Amino acid sequence: MINSTLSGVSYFILGAYLHVGNLRYFYFLITALLYIVIVAVNTSLIVVICMNRSLHEPMYLFLCSLFVNELYGSTGLFPFLLLQILSDIHTVSAPFCYLQIFCLYSYGSIEFCNLAIMSYDRYLAICFPLQYNTRMTLNKVFILIIMVWLYSFVKFLMTLTLNIQLTLCGNILNSLYCQNYLVVKLACSDTTAYNVYGLFLVVLTIVVPLLPILFSYLKILKVCFAASKQTRQKAVSTCTPQLVSLLNFSFGSSFEMIQSRFDMTGVPSVLRIILSLYCLTIQPLLNPIMYGMQMSKIRKIFKHLFCYKLLTGQRDTM
């Protein structure tokens, strides 16, 4: 029943893992520590934003959605990666493979869309400061966040439904984790329609968020040229983390798309592995650290909590 439902394949073999012997325990430790740090920093910032009413503003609520997505995406990869590092046979069941594809691809869509609405939020804050509170209300913030998550889930649920119907003639994926295009390439029948839909999906995933991003930053740039030095400094301080996050995510996801669609045998295996994991490991770590350091309100609250713990600790020892 499982075989017929999942296109005649009950499991996939991941062919990108290298035989490293006892070094696997070192890689396992590094990967586990990285996952722990990602969970710790993202969770702490989510708690800080949710528990402090002074941070219940549009910008911080969008950041909270971003940090929740970092936890969602990294959880779709790291536990699986840790098991594979310790395993001698790198296989994954077909149902779990499709589930991982859904998690990782919806994570990417949510990330890009979230950065898009954050850029629009900064456009309103910088270009219309007096009207900002009326244009970006809390109700609009929650509606935008819900739309981003629903849009991404529905879009990739449709993709997953189509892929499950494919009849596959192989089960070897040249990757560290499950990827949608690599699964489609294993199909026995003609996949032209699936490839066209895949390109349409890529356009939807990239163009839909890219339009508000370009519009927002072009408008901000135009205002900055005509504004005072103080306004320019404010724009730079608030937009820099988003631009860094956007460029980092674009670089990582672009390489992953190129790697899955073109022959990369000329690139060293270690470099391919590092770049294939770049987006899913650096982005969830970079965002909370960068925004936590850049946003003055978050820094002040962390300093207050740290000082409070030190004082209470000293009192307890006394």
Side-chain angles (χ1 to χ4, degrees), residues 290-306:
M290 182 175 56
Y291 283 108
M293 293 174 63
Q294 187 73 18
M295 298 298 176
S296 57
K297 279 190 177 182
I298 295 177
R299 284 203 315 270
K300 288 176 182 177
I301 289 172
F302 266 110
K303 287 179 181 178
H304 174 74
L305 291 173
F306 182 71

Side-chain angles (χ1 to χ4, degrees), residues 202-242:
V202 169
V203 171
L204 274 182
T205 305
I206 295 174
V207 174
V208 171
L210 190 61
L211 290 176
I213 289 172
L214 292 175
F215 170 82
S216 300
Y217 284 117
L218 286 174
K219 289 291 185 180
I220 290 171
L221 194 63
K222 184 179 178 181
V223 168
C224 286
F225 276 123
S228 63
K229 183 179 179 181
Q230 184 179 1
T231 303
R232 286 197 296 269
Q233 288 176 343
K234 179 186 176 184
V236 169
S237 64
T238 57
C239 293
T240 299
Q242 293 179 23

Side-chain angles (χ1 to χ4, degrees), residues 39-52 63-71 302:
V39 171
V41 293
N42 281 283
T43 303
S44 61
L45 285 170
I46 292 168
V47 171
V48 166
I49 292 171
C50 291
M51 297 298 291
N52 289 272
L63 280 176
C64 190
S65 172
L66 191 71
F67 299 147
V68 170
N69 190 47
E70 306 302 357
L71 289 177
F302 266 110

Side-chain angles (χ1 to χ4, degrees), residues 102-123:
F102 175 79
C103 289
L104 297 183
Y105 281 72
S106 57
Y107 157 77
S109 177
I110 293 166
E111 189 83 3
F112 205 14
C113 290
N114 218 119
L115 291 171
I117 59 174
M118 287 170 68
S119 67
Y120 179 71
D121 174 72
R122 291 301 84 203
Y123 155 70

Side-chain angles (χ1 to χ4, degrees), residues 18-211:
L18 303 175
H19 297 287
V20 293
N22 289 332
L23 277 175
R24 73 176 72 179
Y25 301 108
F26 172 74
Y27 294 135
F28 176 87
L29 181 62
I30 296 298
T31 306
L33 287 174
L34 183 60
Y35 182 49
I36 290 169
V37 172
I38 288 172
V39 171
V41 293
N42 281 283
T43 303
S44 61
L45 285 170
I46 292 168
V47 171
V48 166
I49 292 171
C50 291
M51 297 298 291
N52 289 272
R53 294 184 65 85
S54 63
L55 297 180
H56 291 180
E57 299 174 5
M59 178 174 60
Y60 297 104
L61 294 176
F62 289 137
L63 280 176
C64 190
S65 172
L66 191 71
F67 299 147
V68 170
N69 190 47
E70 306 302 357
L71 289 177
Y72 168 65
S74 55
T75 301
L77 173 70
F78 277 92
F80 169 81
L81 199 61
L82 290 169
L83 289 174
Q84 292 296 328
I85 289 172
L86 291 180
S87 177
D88 293 321
I89 302 174
H90 305 291
T91 61
V92 55
S93 66
F96 187 86
C97 189
Y98 287 114
L99 177 62
Q100 187 178 53
I101 288 172
F102 175 79
C103 289
L104 297 183
Y105 281 72
S106 57
Y107 157 77
S109 177
I110 293 166
E111 189 83 3
F112 205 14
C113 290
N114 218 119
L115 291 171
I117 59 174
M118 287 170 68
S119 67
Y120 179 71
D121 174 72
R122 291 301 84 203
Y123 155 70
L124 292 180
I126 294 168
C127 299
F128 302 96
L130 299 179
Q131 304 170 35
Y132 176 73
N133 290 330
T134 56
R135 291 196 176 199
M136 187 61 76
T137 62
L138 289 181
N139 285 338
K140 288 182 180 178
V141 169
F142 289 121
I143 289 171
L144 284 170
I145 291 173
I146 291 170
M147 284 177 60
V148 163
W149 285 75
L150 279 179
Y151 167 75
S152 300
F153 282 156
V154 171
K155 184 173 57 176
F156 284 102
L157 191 60
M158 291 171 61
T159 305
L160 196 63
T161 303
L162 288 173
N163 288 353
I164 288 175
Q165 297 174 11
L166 284 170
T167 301
L168 306 182
C169 291
N171 66 341
I172 299 176
L173 305 176
N174 189 25
S175 176
L176 297 175
Y177 52 88
C178 296
Q179 295 185 45
N180 183 62
Y181 187 72
L182 296 181
V183 172
V184 173
K185 284 171 68 176
L186 296 174
C188 304
S189 57
D190 182 34
T191 59
T192 303
Y194 290 89
N195 291 333
V196 171
Y197 177 75
L199 288 173
F200 175 70
L201 195 68
V202 169
V203 171
L204 274 182
T205 305
I206 295 174
V207 174
V208 171
L210 190 61
L211 290 176

Side-chain angles (χ1 to χ4, degrees), residues 246-313:
L246 181 64
L247 291 172
N248 180 71
F249 181 73
S250 299
F251 167 75
S253 55
S254 296
F255 177 81
E256 194 53 38
M257 284 191 290
I258 292 170
Q259 182 176 240
S260 63
R261 283 164 172 76
F262 298 98
D263 183 16
M264 302 292 288
T265 53
V267 180
S269 299
V270 175
L271 182 60
R272 289 207 309 269
I273 289 172
I274 292 172
L275 290 175
S276 68
L277 294 173
Y278 178 89
C279 185
L280 295 167
T281 54
I282 301 301
Q283 189 75 1
L285 187 62
L286 174 69
N287 277 342
I289 292 175
M290 182 175 56
Y291 283 108
M293 293 174 63
Q294 187 73 18
M295 298 298 176
S296 57
K297 279 190 177 182
I298 295 177
R299 284 203 315 270
K300 288 176 182 177
I301 289 172
F302 266 110
K303 287 179 181 178
H304 174 74
L305 291 173
F306 182 71
C307 293
Y308 176 77
K309 286 182 179 180
L310 282 179
L311 289 172
T312 53

